[in-house]
Amino acid sequence: MASAGRGRNGWALAVAVITVIAYAVWAGASVYTFMHLPPIPREIVTSDGKVLFTYQQIVQGKYLYQKYGLADYGSVLGFGGYFGIDFTSYTIELWEDYIASDVAGLKDFQPGNATQVQLIKPYMEVAYNKTDNVMVVSPALYNATQYAINYYSEYLGNESAQNRLKPDYITNRTVVTDIVAFFTWTALISMLGYTNGFPYMPGLIQPSTNVYVASDLMIFVFMVGVFVVGGFIVYTLLSYWRDPVTPIQLPAPNGLQRSLLWALIIVILGAAVQGLLGEYTMHLYASPILYGINLLNVLPFNVSRALHYTLAILWIADTWVIFSLFLFPYLGLQLSRAKAWGITAGAIVVSVAILAGIWLNYLQIIPYSGGEVMLWFMFGGQGRDVVTQGTVYLLALAGLLFYVAYLWIKVGETTVPALRTMSKILGISIAGNAAGIVLGALPVVHPWVNYTMDEYFRWITIHSFVESFWPAIIVDIIAMLLVIEGLAPVRLANAIVGFDAGLDIITGLIGTGHHYYWGGQPWIWLYVGSAISLLEAIPLGFAVIYALLVWRRGEARTELQRTTLYVVLIAAIGGGIGAAAFGGGLLNAPILNYFLHDSQVTMAHAHAAFPLAFGLPTIFMWVLMFYLAGAVKDLHLKWVRWGSLLYGVGFYLQALLSLVPLGLLQYRYELKYGYWYAKSLEPLPLDPRLTPFWQLPLAQDLVWIRMLGDLVASLGFVIIGLLLIITFFKGAARARDS
């Protein structure tokens, strides 16, 4: 037993060391990356001396781009919302269109015609004078840029409502000019080669050689990793598989634990609103009007999208906090009612503040402020896709999670021996996630000046959630439940949790580099990002095997045991395939990512992986809490199983019937016209003959087909959600009557 104890402690120590190493490697890589950022020039000038934009305009434009939430609508360099136009490639296309028509005299210019682009390419030359820190462009680009300013003044102003933004969103021409200065900078660093040849513009910009070589190297590294990691996992399974299982009997919950169910009702309602916002946001792809009702004054696309994904993060995180507080008394940690409810109330209040801040900022109710301290950035929304929460709220959330992490590590010293290692690893994982949130709040009082640095920090924060620590957290909680219910041996559970956490953390944090392909980071990230991040797929793939093997053990006898394994199986298979196949398979290789970047295939990956890998297990935590409290009975659990199945099937119907076909359709037209066309919403002013992508009949049909998946997934959620709410209030009514 002593050696087994040392082994269990060894897993927790290993995860802690790996976490420190992973962050240290990332920090070291940061130094190199920040020494190779794309330059922000003192001026952008024409070769005959006219000034297009200054450094101050470029930086101010970046800030305004964030303040107006345009990253939650469209994108620059392919980073941002999946629906609105990519402002980088669209700006380049506007230049091509204007120069071809008004400078080169190509009245029959066809976008994507590489031969014609070669004729206008001399007018689009750009050079960087490092000594003077000046970017020099041809005189033709001066008027072409004025044309772009005129275009965006209409697009973001008088035409903003038809483009799914708040009506008359940006009517100040000076503001638009500064924003276009930022768009211009992103276009020029692309043309200067800082983005590895992204975005694709036929005849003008194409993938660099490194894109192809890195894709080949990635496959080699992955094959080696499969054999090494797979061999260790199989050895571990064979070593511990026949260990005995010992269920842990849990007593009836106390009054504090039962009271926490009230907080869960709020979380369940928040999850329901999150789903409705997702359906509304997708409806805007097809029409700016919701069945005759115009909500764009209060819920334009950028607001609804930001609230949709932020609510997803919050209801999952809040559940994990409440679930932790619910479990602590079982694990030997007694918290006072005041402390437990203080933590719970803090999580809910911060969540509401985050949502309100985003809404108020994107509707421009929070005014723009210059200077070093920008209140909209701190208390509103940062305007960074996914990491858009106000920095003060992020720091508050991080502080809350650090404290919960401390409590879990403390539980690792007080609980029964079988759960100590898993408790410590869970605490380490929550702390690692909190550290990533702190990085997402930097530099706290104002945005980063250089967009490339901004993207660098933004993605490490995202990866500290979904790629690194959230998988470790969810696997840990599931393993803990399997041990408690007598469905998994302790040594096997510890090995799975420790090994999975270590591999997720090291590959997830360093593998953040697969998001650094096109944002201006050095080319070395093509190799590091593709090779390391694909190794994340290995533990995800084996998660499916774990679930199937535990199912095949045949030890599920009670309704709760059967339901637990059923949900784990759906989550593991659905989430594992969504992350490994849709993510690692379709998107990770640089050459594939180059053409599918920020397309609907990316959204298919998110919708197949996130709701099943994280959402469904979190929903099961609700079920378990209500079950242990006596509200949900054995006879109700069959509905939980049906709801879980429909929930999983619904998201795969979304992906397979709508999102993946849409993404492949975008890919087809991108090859023909360029990246700009894949998210085009209205015709080019000088070429109205070309139907925009989102107006293509097939694209519109595929948008509407998604409704089938939405309805099935919603039905699954409603079955479980209503079951929990109805049984809870029935139980509360019976308690009052007695």
Side-chain angles (χ1 to χ4, degrees):
M1 285 298 286
S3 61
R6 285 195 296 272
R8 290 195 294 269
N9 291 331
W11 281 118
L13 179 61
V15 172
V17 171
I18 287 172
T19 300
V20 173
I21 291 174
Y23 269 120
V25 170
W26 177 82
S30 302
V31 175
Y32 176 80
T33 299
F34 297 160
M35 291 173 63
H36 295 81
L37 295 176
I40 302 176
R42 177 173 54 84
E43 288 180 333
I44 301 173
V45 301
T46 64
S47 56
D48 59 358
K50 291 183 179 178
V51 177
L52 266 71
F53 300 112
T54 65
Y55 173 93
Q56 289 75 18
Q57 286 179 296
I58 296 169
V59 174
Q60 182 79 347
K62 175 188 178 294
Y63 292 171
L64 290 166
Y65 175 77
Q66 294 179 229
K67 177 67 174 74
Y68 281 90
L70 294 179
D72 273 305
Y73 167 73
S75 59
V76 294
L77 294 171
F79 294 106
Y82 301 119
F83 172 64
I85 61 177
D86 178 71
F87 295 105
T88 300
S89 56
Y90 216 88
T91 298
I92 296 172
E93 183 55 39
L94 290 172
W95 292 346
E96 287 187 357
D97 204 37
Y98 176 84
I99 291 173
S101 177
D102 285 42
V103 179
L106 298 175
K107 300 302 182 183
D108 63 340
F109 177 71
Q110 297 175 334
N113 187 317
T115 302
Q116 290 182 320
V117 170
Q118 288 299 314
L119 297 176
I120 65 173
K121 194 172 181 178
Y123 298 103
M124 301 185 69
E125 295 293 334
V126 55
Y128 175 58
N129 185 329
K130 186 175 182 179
T131 303
D132 297 330
N133 192 24
V134 171
M135 288 183 182
V136 183
V137 300
S138 73
L141 273 185
Y142 184 88
N143 289 333
T145 300
Q146 303 308 309
Y147 170 67
I149 293 172
N150 292 335
Y151 174 81
Y152 286 123
S153 294
E154 292 295 315
Y155 189 97
L156 300 172
N158 295 334
E159 299 174 0
S160 61
Q162 72 186 48
N163 293 320
R164 282 58 159 186
L165 291 167
K166 182 182 177 183
D168 299 317
Y169 195 38
I170 308 177
T171 56
N172 186 317
R173 187 175 176 87
T174 300
V175 170
V176 174
T177 300
D178 287 345
I179 293 175
V180 174
F182 172 58
F183 296 162
T184 299
W185 175 78
T186 65
L188 293 182
I189 65 169
S190 173
M191 294 165 66
L192 284 167
Y194 286 98
T195 60
N196 295 307
F198 186 88
Y200 178 60
M201 301 293 289
L204 185 66
I205 304 174
Q206 59 188 11
S208 68
T209 302
N210 287 315
V211 172
Y212 297 94
V213 178
S215 300
D216 290 337
L217 179 64
M218 176 202 73
I219 297 173
F220 172 77
V221 172
F222 177 72
M223 295 304 295
V224 173
V226 166
F227 283 108
V228 174
V229 177
F232 179 83
I233 291 175
V234 171
Y235 172 79
T236 302
L237 288 172
L238 292 176
S239 299
Y240 300 145
W241 188 250
R242 291 302 173 187
D243 280 10
V245 293
T246 306
I248 299 174
Q249 297 300 319
L250 301 180
N254 58 33
L256 168 61
Q257 290 170 294
R258 289 193 180 91
S259 72
L260 291 172
L261 299 184
W262 286 99
L264 273 191
I265 298 298
I266 298 174
V267 174
I268 293 171
L269 294 176
V273 171
Q274 184 252 327
L276 291 174
L277 282 170
E279 294 182 20
Y280 168 73
T281 303
M282 196 65 190
H283 179 88
L284 291 179
Y285 278 66
S287 170
I289 306 298
L290 181 66
Y291 304 114
I293 303 173
N294 190 337
L295 297 176
L296 291 177
N297 273 305
V298 291
L299 274 181
F301 186 93
N302 56 344
V303 172
S304 66
R305 178 181 183 266
L307 295 181
H308 169 63
Y309 66 67
T310 300
L311 257 172
I313 295 169
L314 292 175
W315 71 256
I316 290 174
D318 286 348
T319 296
W320 292 356
V321 170
I322 297 168
F323 188 68
S324 297
L325 298 172
F326 187 89
L327 284 184
F328 284 157
Y330 292 138
L331 305 177
L333 180 63
Q334 300 297 328
L335 297 178
S336 66
R337 181 180 291 266
K339 181 175 287 188
W341 266 101
I343 295 171
T344 302
I348 293 174
V349 168
V350 169
S351 298
V352 172
I354 285 173
L355 297 169
I358 293 170
W359 186 75
L360 292 171
N361 187 48
Y362 280 9
L363 292 182
Q364 302 308 304
I365 295 172
I366 299 177
Y368 181 81
S369 58
E372 288 299 309
V373 178
M374 300 185 180
L375 297 181
W376 63 268
F377 185 74
M378 300 170 66
F379 296 98
Q382 296 183 50
R384 305 159 73 195
D385 180 30
V386 180
V387 187
T388 197
Q389 305 79 20
T391 59
V392 170
Y393 306 134
L394 279 180
L395 292 176
L397 182 61
L400 182 72
L401 291 179
F402 274 128
Y403 186 66
V404 173
Y406 159 75
L407 293 177
W408 270 110
I409 293 172
K410 188 176 179 180
V411 163
E413 300 296 333
T414 62
T415 190
V416 296
L419 301 178
R420 287 181 182 175
T421 291
M422 285 178 278
S423 298
K424 291 178 182 178
I425 292 175
L426 185 54
I428 294 167
S429 300
I430 295 173
N433 182 208
I437 295 174
V438 172
L439 293 175
L442 299 177
V444 181
V445 297
H446 61 76
W448 295 103
V449 171
N450 193 303
Y451 178 77
T452 299
M453 183 180 288
D454 193 299
E455 283 296 292
Y456 193 80
F457 278 93
R458 183 175 77 89
W459 280 113
I460 194 67
T461 300
I462 294 172
H463 262 236
S464 78
F465 278 82
V466 297
E467 307 280 359
S468 299
F469 296 105
W470 273 26
I473 291 170
I474 206 69
V475 168
D476 197 315
I477 292 175
I478 289 174
M480 196 177 294
L481 295 179
L482 293 177
V483 169
I484 290 172
E485 294 183 41
L487 293 171
V490 174
R491 290 200 302 167
L492 178 62
N494 284 332
I496 289 173
V497 167
F499 188 74
D500 180 85
L503 198 58
D504 279 331
I505 292 166
I506 195 73
T507 60
L509 288 181
I510 300 175
T512 306
H514 71 232
H515 296 291
Y516 297 155
Y517 295 165
W518 325 121
Q521 290 84 3
W523 59 266
I524 192 66
W525 284 112
L526 285 168
Y527 294 90
V528 175
S530 60
I532 301 300
S533 64
L534 192 59
L535 296 179
E536 297 170 35
I538 298 175
L540 292 170
F542 277 98
V544 177
I545 298 174
Y546 293 151
L548 290 170
L549 289 175
V550 172
W551 178 273
R552 288 293 298 164
R553 281 178 69 95
E555 296 178 2
R557 297 180 178 86
T558 69
E559 283 294 311
L560 180 61
Q561 288 175 326
R562 282 193 285 269
T563 303
T564 300
L565 288 183
Y566 194 85
V567 172
V568 168
L569 204 63
I570 295 173
I573 294 176
I577 292 175
F582 285 74
L586 275 178
L587 294 170
N588 194 77
I591 190 57
L592 293 176
N593 192 281
Y594 180 90
F595 291 105
L596 298 176
H597 180 43
D598 218 42
S599 70
Q600 294 294 302
V601 171
T602 309
M603 195 154 85
H605 159 55
H607 277 227
F610 191 92
L612 295 176
F614 303 124
L616 186 57
T618 303
I619 290 172
F620 183 68
M621 293 178 203
W622 303 344
V623 174
L624 189 62
M625 290 173 66
F626 281 94
Y627 180 87
L628 292 174
V632 171
K633 308 294 184 183
D634 282 340
L635 61 91
H636 299 132
L637 292 179
K638 65 180 180 180
W639 294 105
V640 174
R641 296 195 289 270
W642 273 108
S644 301
L645 179 62
L646 291 172
Y647 186 80
V649 168
F651 281 106
Y652 266 86
L653 288 175
Q654 281 184 16
L656 297 175
L657 297 183
S658 176
L659 301 179
V660 170
L662 269 171
L664 296 179
L665 188 66
Q666 287 178 302
Y667 167 68
R668 172 191 171 191
Y669 280 102
E670 180 184 354
L671 290 178
K672 185 174 182 180
Y673 298 119
Y675 185 74
W676 70 276
Y677 182 80
K679 296 199 288 184
S680 57
L681 192 59
E682 62 180 27
L684 286 168
L686 297 180
D687 190 7
R689 299 166 298 171
L690 186 60
T691 303
F693 179 82
W694 289 116
Q695 292 183 24
L696 293 173
L698 180 55
Q700 286 288 296
D701 291 342
L702 289 172
V703 168
W704 284 107
I705 287 173
R706 182 186 145 165
M707 185 178 290
L708 176 62
D710 287 353
L711 292 174
V712 173
S714 298
L715 177 60
F717 177 86
V718 167
I719 288 173
I720 298 174
L722 283 181
L723 170 69
L724 298 180
I725 292 173
I726 291 171
T727 55
F728 173 72
F729 282 107
K730 279 187 176 180
R734 285 194 298 268
R736 286 196 302 269
D737 293 340
S738 61

